[in-house]
Amino acid sequence: MRFMMLMLPAGYEKAAPGAMPDAGAVSAMMKYNESLQKAGVLLALDGLHPPSMGARVSFSGGRPKVTDGPFTEAKEVLGGYWMIQVKSKEEAVEWASRCPASDNEVIEVRQVQEFSDFPADVKAAAAGFPDLQSGQQKGS
Amino acid sequence: MTATDTHRAIEAVWRIESARLIAGLARIVRDVGRAEELAQDALVAALEQWPESGVPDNPGAWLMATAKHRAIDLWRRNKLVERKHEELGRELEARQEMAVPDLDAALDDDVGDDLLRLVFTACHPVLSTEARVALTLRLLGGLTTEEIARAFLVSEPTIAQRIVRAKRTLARERVPFEVPRGAERAARLSSVVEVIYLVFNEGYSATAGDDWMRPALCEDALRLGRILAELVPEEPEVHGLVALMEIQASRSKARVGPSGEPILLFDQNRALWDHLLIRRGLTALDRAVALGGARGAYALQAAIAACHARAQTPEATDWTRIVGLYADLAEIAPSPVVDLNRAVAHAMAFGPQAGLDLVDALASGPSLRGYHLLPSVRGDLLRKLGRTDEARREFERAASLTRNARERELLLERAAACLIKLDARGERPSSRGKLEGAEGSRDP
């Protein structure tokens, strides 16, 4: 099963555009990333620029409304993620626990949905979706 | 945390730590079997103590320290016995105290080399292939005997005995705990790669039983392959293996239908292919090629799989390139199964009659007798040529030859579809399935 480990650094909602972690923190994090890689569990990872460089699109009233960052009122913002392949939630949690994160950081561990997780009606409703995405005829 | 939660947490720690634990211990005690027993003792201690004390902050270090203490106890006890036997004096005893190995220093060394030693030892040629598979899954994959037994549809005592015997053989043959050097290294690495691909393939197209795929086994093999690629990043063959497994695994979700039935390459909904895995596979293939391994058996198969992965539709597949890649593969790893796959690609590139000519040449030889994919491919080509009745007989023959229940159902359905077509005179059958290019081969 796949899990996303979502890094939620408190304060990142206020970080200035172009803000970067310091070299020491990056080096510790690289070591951790390598340990995930060496264990054969890491599928993908990315770090995100601060929200002050991004935007939010909200849909209140059924219409998209764009708000440019920063989102100082936000309780939590995403700083980056890892996607890992493990055998259990416990294993994902164990990996998250080993992250050299600092006091202000929280890692949320979330399982990636698989098609087989869906109940029959959702499966039926979602069946055509990948076809739309790739512009193909439905496979037999 | 409840006791069950703690047990699950211990399982997770074991999965992460066991291989490194066993590898580190094996370097000290110079016996893989003994190392595994020590690691198991530490696991038992964790199962006893952690539900009370909670999971320690650094569970890996805890397990290692516990196993290490056991190792020292054992070592002292053995020395004691030896001493009694040899009636050693006080002087010698003092010397022995000094000789207690510096385990802390030994364990602090980089564990990567130990893991690699463990990989090579578990796949040592003194062991039978099935023993290598079981031992690799057990020592490096962290699988329990029960999990291995379930994966290979063999009874638990059989696997347990296989592992005990393998460990005994390693001890009896005095197999050194080391990474082979020079000319031996290449051959031994190929053996490791073969074991991992064998595990993957058993998960990808189960040779027997009711399930067409056992995805957990594919994931275990992929993980082992990725670990190996990190241990020997300079080896193109390993990147070729990883590339092949990543790309094949990318189709896992598309190649099984809602009730577990196999869906062949042509009928797969390509939107369900996992593009993350395809991307990883293509990257690994690039790495193999960059290291000069483009013509390795696994890299060639990965390149064939990559042709499929890049094609948005079956029609868009570069079949001419696939024919060429199969020709290269047949040169370095000649096998009738490769020839059969090449014939399929040939038919796609140059028409069913051209493919059938090649298949018929193969069918006249003895090597593929009893191989169910031969009549299956023949049936498919005959059907495309409108020779429906002959096609039906071939599908039925193929069904009688396969040991996989799901595959048998599929083949019988295709035989039945030929009957419908005969009745309807010219109506297109519902399935246009065909052999999956490289996927049909288990014996590259």
Side-chain angles (χ1 to χ4, degrees):
Chain A
M1 45 182 84
R2 285 180 188 179
F3 283 84
M4 291 276 251
M5 300 193 294
L6 304 167
M7 173 58 97
L8 307 168
Y12 208 46
E13 67 280 0
K14 298 188 189 78
M20 287 285 160
D22 69 89
V26 170
S27 137
M29 206 53 93
M30 277 309 292
K31 240 184 143 176
Y32 173 66
N33 295 341
E34 276 164 24
S35 73
L36 292 169
Q37 173 99 347
K38 282 183 176 161
V41 297
L42 182 64
L43 292 181
L45 80 172
D46 278 302
L48 303 180
H49 281 300
S52 53
M53 293 168 74
R56 283 189 167 184
V57 183
S58 54
F59 294 87
S60 162
R63 310 195 58 135
K65 181 178 169 250
V66 180
T67 314
D68 282 322
F71 321 113
T72 42
E73 73 289 355
K75 281 205 183 106
E76 281 171 338
V77 297
L78 202 57
Y81 72 90
W82 298 262
M83 169 105 81
I84 57 172
Q85 173 88 47
V86 291
K87 273 209 171 154
S88 64
K89 179 183 152 196
E90 286 77 9
E91 196 185 339
V93 168
E94 179 59 34
W95 278 116
S97 309
R98 296 175 179 214
C99 181
S102 44
D103 272 2
N104 64 316
E105 293 175 316
V106 171
I107 294 176
E108 188 168 308
V109 176
R110 303 271 300 272
Q111 191 180 348
V112 176
Q113 278 177 341
E114 306 282 350
F115 200 67
S116 54
D117 297 335
F118 296 150
D121 58 333
V122 179
K123 262 186 200 161
F129 185 66
D131 302 318
L132 287 175
Q133 282 184 313
S134 65
Q136 280 179 35
Q137 290 279 300
K138 193 179 181 302
S140 53
Chain B
M1 239 187 210
T2 69
T4 324
D5 287 343
T6 310
H7 275 210
R8 291 179 62 102
I10 294 172
E11 268 174 39
V13 168
W14 181 252
R15 185 166 160 78
I16 295 171
E17 298 292 342
S18 62
R20 298 197 302 172
L21 194 60
I22 295 166
L25 290 163
R27 172 150 58 90
I28 297 160
V29 300
R30 295 277 152 190
D31 178 337
V32 166
R34 174 73 56 80
E36 203 231 356
E37 283 157 23
L38 288 166
Q40 287 286 341
D41 287 348
L43 175 65
V44 170
L47 287 166
E48 281 165 7
Q49 294 175 34
W50 293 3
E52 288 283 323
S53 66
V55 178
D57 281 346
N58 190 340
W62 190 99
L63 287 171
M64 190 52 113
T66 306
K68 197 176 70 179
H69 286 141
R70 291 279 174 140
I72 293 173
D73 283 351
L74 266 179
W75 190 81
R76 287 214 171 106
R77 209 178 308 147
N78 289 343
K79 277 289 163 195
L80 200 66
V81 173
E82 249 175 56
R83 208 161 58 228
K84 275 183 186 158
H85 286 181
E86 294 170 17
E87 298 177 331
L88 287 179
R90 200 176 283 170
E91 190 189 344
L92 270 177
E93 189 182 336
R95 222 188 274 168
Q96 177 252 309
E97 282 301 326
M98 284 174 61
V100 172
D102 189 356
L103 296 183
D104 281 310
L107 289 170
D108 284 342
D109 284 3
D110 183 29
V111 84
D113 294 345
D114 292 337
L115 264 186
L116 193 55
R117 290 186 188 108
L118 188 61
V119 171
F120 276 113
T121 308
C123 297
H124 197 278
V126 297
L127 304 172
S128 69
T129 303
E130 52 183 22
R132 291 178 212 174
V133 166
L135 208 56
T136 300
L137 286 173
R138 171 76 181 227
L139 299 181
L140 288 142
L143 268 68
T144 62
T145 306
E146 189 202 343
E147 285 171 319
I148 302 170
R150 214 185 310 134
F152 285 90
L153 309 178
V154 183
S155 79
E156 215 180 314
T158 305
I159 292 291
Q161 205 180 30
R162 198 174 287 171
I163 290 172
V164 167
R165 274 206 208 118
K167 289 195 283 197
R168 248 185 242 149
T169 304
L170 289 176
R172 191 184 58 232
E173 302 288 328
R174 297 182 185 280
V175 168
F177 187 65
E178 66 183 21
V179 173
R181 287 170 196 283
E184 197 197 350
R185 184 186 159 109
R188 294 275 305 277
L189 187 67
S190 293
S191 159
V192 173
V193 167
E194 185 195 347
V195 164
I196 295 177
Y197 193 55
L198 213 78
V199 172
F200 181 85
N201 237 338
E202 187 55 31
Y204 197 61
S205 30
T207 47
D210 293 334
D211 297 318
W212 165 242
M213 281 189 74
R214 291 198 279 280
L217 212 47
C218 290
E219 281 168 21
D220 285 321
L222 252 171
R223 181 161 155 265
L224 290 171
R226 290 171 186 149
I227 291 172
L228 186 63
E230 285 294 312
L231 290 173
V232 287
E234 72 287 359
E235 295 288 353
E237 188 182 18
V238 177
H239 294 293
L241 166 76
V242 171
L244 179 59
M245 292 195 297
E246 300 266 16
I247 299 176
Q248 290 194 323
S250 77
R251 300 181 206 139
S252 299
K253 279 179 205 121
R255 67 198 289 278
V256 183
S259 30
E261 72 279 14
I263 300 177
L264 302 182
L265 188 60
F266 256 35
D267 296 325
Q268 288 171 13
N269 178 355
R270 295 183 177 217
L272 291 177
W273 287 1
D274 190 321
H275 288 270
L276 175 61
L277 294 185
I278 290 177
R279 206 175 67 218
R280 292 178 59 89
L282 295 177
T283 306
L285 180 58
D286 286 346
R287 203 162 294 159
V289 171
L291 289 165
R295 286 183 56 82
Y298 294 95
L300 283 171
Q301 291 178 82
I304 292 164
C307 285
H308 294 306
R310 289 195 189 99
Q312 295 273 331
T313 62
E315 293 72 25
T317 313
D318 187 349
W319 289 107
T320 320
R321 176 163 161 73
I322 292 180
V323 170
L325 289 165
Y326 271 123
D328 290 346
L329 188 58
E331 237 175 71
I332 59 155
S335 131
V337 176
V338 170
D339 290 338
L340 182 61
N341 280 321
R342 186 180 167 190
V344 173
H346 199 79
M348 292 309 300
F350 308 111
Q353 186 60 53
L356 188 62
D357 293 343
L358 287 183
V359 173
D360 285 345
L362 281 173
S364 60
S367 46
L368 286 176
R369 190 169 298 149
Y371 186 55
H372 67 283
L373 288 180
L374 178 68
S376 166
V377 166
R378 229 183 147 255
D380 192 55
L381 296 172
L382 286 166
R383 205 201 57 221
K384 280 183 182 149
L385 290 166
R387 293 158 67 178
T388 321
D389 197 41
E390 290 166 85
R392 177 183 55 80
R393 284 202 301 268
E394 288 292 66
F395 286 135
E396 282 169 357
R397 206 160 80 81
S400 72
L401 290 173
T402 180
R403 286 164 57 218
N404 184 290
R406 293 296 191 181
E407 206 170 17
R408 188 176 313 122
E409 280 167 31
L410 177 82
L411 287 163
L412 288 175
E413 262 171 42
R414 295 176 72 190
C418 289
L419 274 181
I420 296 167
K421 191 176 177 185
L422 270 185
D423 287 349
R425 285 284 156 217
E427 198 195 289
R428 204 171 166 273
S430 60
S431 167
R432 50 170 185 158
K434 63 159 279 296
L435 173 73
E436 305 180 275
E439 303 204 298
S441 99
R442 294 195 181 108
D443 180 24

